Amino acid sequence: MNILLLGGSGLIGSRLSKALLAAGHNLTLLSRSAGNAADYTYIQADFAALQSADDWLPHLAGIDIVINAVGIFAESARQKFADIHIAAPQALFAACELTGVRRVIQVSALGAAPNAPTAYWRSKGIADASLAASSLDWTIIRPSLIYAPEGASCRVFCSLVTLPCIANLSGAANVQPVHIDDLITLLVKLTVQALAIKQVINAIGPEAMPLSHWWQSLRLAMGLAPAFSIPLAPWLQNMAARCLPSALLTTDSFTMLRSGNSADSQLFATLLGRAPQPALPTQQDKTEVKRHALLGWLLPLLQISVALVWLCTAAVCLWAWPRAESYALLGKTGIPSAWQPLLFYGSVAMDSLFGVLCLLGKGWRMQLYLVLAYSIIIACKLPEFLWHPFGPLLKNLPILALLMLFDQLAYLKRPEK
């Protein structure tokens, strides 16, 4: 079967593409950049720019089924709900009617409706309503919160629940998270069999529960003891959403959690042929999930700690430590008195700059070289700091190790050329 999969690089699409190939289907992916995988046929195009039926017509030739798994959770300067969730899908549905592509599977979201309380849900709901009003053999899948170990939102949740104490969001309604494996199983099954035509399927877990209960269950599944929870009032939730640098923890996120994310799972279970599995780490992957979860907040904590070392060092040198003693130490390293003020203020400026770069996650190698140079010079010129009982110079060793770690992590994140 020839399938056009839209959103093949996303959380759902990346898993679904592998599963569809394994099931023996011919897969066409749409991407802004040309792909080179031999297993796929690629269409190089910008999904959001295809806003008329004529734009889509050339891409539907020979296609049997269209699966739209494109979605964004938050808007940006380049990506808008109106383009990605509404205009492009509506144009796609119209083009499918013109070309005779009958089967369209739309991956939406639980809670989507044209009159929903958030822009994300409303935009998804408007597209769903357009598809439901068409003459196509459509199926709309509305997943709840998705548990997927590699998913960005799931990793945020898992990191939050490994903290020493977790927030109990006051006013949050029940959630019914779904395991990614169940969602992919359903989508593959729908492509093989003409099931649930002109139906909306709520893809959800086996039971509805308070969010705090799911979080505690995640802890237990990772092998952690239950955590102490702190009630977080709605106004504090909104304040946290404005202060936290996360596209996932927004005021709309908390609004959706307060609105609820649960439904009847009977149709989903019937189509799966079994009860949905719990949205939790399995015994096989719990160690890996726990490791990623802990690093999710430990690495930022270490990053902030290194930044504070630089910034506090600059502040102490500039305002707290006697200036004459600083100049005397520079003199002991062989710096002429005429150069001491320049080097003093230069080092304060450098420390301040590196503190800011730490917070931005940049400049790790420059910091590494500077700390190494400082350490060598001080060890040679001021050996008393090397043998000092408080170990002021030896403490540079863990700093150097941390800088090496951050430098290598930054290197791994660079895109391949």
Side-chain angles (χ1 to χ4, degrees):
M1 193 169 290
N2 298 319
I3 301 172
L4 173 60
L5 174 59
L6 305 168
S9 61
L11 171 64
I12 297 172
S14 59
R15 282 238 192 173
L16 180 57
S17 61
K18 296 174 183 176
L20 290 174
L21 284 176
H25 297 292
N26 298 318
L27 209 56
T28 299
L29 304 181
L30 185 142
S31 173
R32 281 196 296 267
S33 57
N36 56 9
D39 296 332
Y40 308 105
T41 299
Y42 278 94
I43 298 172
Q44 188 172 2
D46 183 356
F47 178 88
L50 304 176
Q51 297 197 4
S52 73
D54 289 340
D55 294 332
W56 282 102
L57 292 178
H59 307 315
L60 296 177
I63 297 298
D64 299 310
I65 298 179
V66 172
I67 302 175
N68 179 26
V70 175
I72 56 171
F73 190 70
E75 292 185 310
S76 65
R78 292 182 56 188
Q79 297 183 311
K80 302 296 181 184
F81 291 141
D83 296 329
I84 294 174
H85 289 175
I86 301 175
Q90 287 177 334
L92 169 65
F93 305 151
C96 287
E97 289 184 296
L98 291 174
T99 58
V101 177
R102 300 299 308 162
R103 291 284 282 124
V104 174
I105 299 174
Q106 163 88 342
V107 180
S108 183
L110 190 64
N115 60 347
T118 68
Y120 169 75
W121 269 347
R122 286 194 298 273
S123 61
K124 284 286 190 179
I126 291 170
D128 293 353
S130 297
L131 180 57
S134 73
S135 62
L136 301 170
D137 294 334
W138 55 266
T139 304
I140 296 171
I141 315 297
R142 289 180 173 166
S144 179
L145 297 171
I146 298 175
Y147 172 79
E150 74 276 23
S153 60
C154 182
R155 286 192 171 182
V156 169
F157 279 134
C158 288
S159 290
L160 288 174
V161 304
T162 58
L163 290 168
C165 60
I166 60 177
N168 183 358
L169 304 182
S170 300
N174 283 350
V175 297
Q176 204 163 347
V178 62
H179 199 289
I180 185 67
D181 289 347
D182 283 350
L183 178 58
I184 299 304
T185 298
L186 173 67
L187 287 168
V188 173
K189 201 168 187 177
L190 292 174
T191 62
V192 176
Q193 307 173 49
L195 300 173
I197 302 298
K198 296 186 185 297
Q199 283 188 284
V200 176
I201 305 169
N202 296 318
I204 48 184
E207 64 173 318
M209 66 190 80
L211 181 64
S212 58
H213 179 77
W214 182 44
W215 283 1
Q216 295 285 11
S217 297
L218 283 171
R219 284 185 62 90
L220 293 175
M222 285 186 275
L224 299 171
F228 177 74
S229 62
I230 300 177
L232 196 67
W235 68 271
L236 285 173
Q237 298 170 28
N238 292 334
M239 181 181 294
R242 294 186 180 94
C243 297
L244 291 173
S246 172
L248 297 172
L249 300 176
T250 65
T251 52
D252 277 0
S253 302
F254 289 115
T255 297
M256 287 187 279
L257 288 173
R258 289 193 287 269
S259 298
N261 214 250
S262 60
D264 184 2
S265 64
Q266 183 57 50
L267 177 58
F268 185 43
T270 299
L271 292 170
L272 285 176
R274 56 172 172 78
Q277 62 183 304
L280 297 171
T282 63
Q283 189 67 26
Q284 291 74 26
D285 66 9
K286 72 174 186 179
T287 301
E288 185 71 6
V289 171
K290 180 180 176 181
R291 183 175 70 86
H292 279 291
L294 290 170
L295 290 176
W297 61 270
L298 286 172
L299 285 176
L301 180 63
L302 289 172
Q303 185 174 333
I304 293 171
S305 300
V306 176
L308 287 175
V309 169
W310 286 115
L311 294 173
C312 290
T313 298
V316 167
C317 289
L318 195 58
W319 292 301
W321 191 256
R323 191 72 47 83
E325 293 191 25
S326 295
Y327 288 170
L329 289 173
L330 288 172
K332 287 184 179 180
T333 63
I335 304 299
S337 57
W339 288 85
Q340 291 171 10
L342 178 62
L343 287 176
F344 172 81
Y345 287 107
S347 66
V348 168
M350 186 69 73
D351 290 348
S352 302
L353 173 63
F354 282 161
V356 173
L357 288 176
C358 270
L359 297 175
L360 298 175
K362 298 179 178 180
W364 300 114
R365 192 159 299 184
M366 290 188 296
Q367 298 172 54
L368 176 64
Y369 291 154
L370 183 65
V371 173
L372 185 60
Y374 276 171
S375 301
I376 293 173
I377 293 171
I378 294 173
C380 294
K381 299 293 185 177
L382 303 170
E384 63 269 24
F385 289 106
L386 186 61
W387 314 120
H388 195 284
F390 288 166
L393 189 57
L394 292 175
K395 288 173 183 175
N396 281 353
L397 292 175
I399 296 294
L400 287 167
L402 279 176
L403 293 173
M404 290 176 65
L405 170 66
F406 284 124
D407 178 64
Q408 290 302 303
L409 290 175
Y411 178 79
L412 291 174
K413 292 179 181 178
R414 293 171 192 162
E416 294 184 5
K417 295 183 179 179

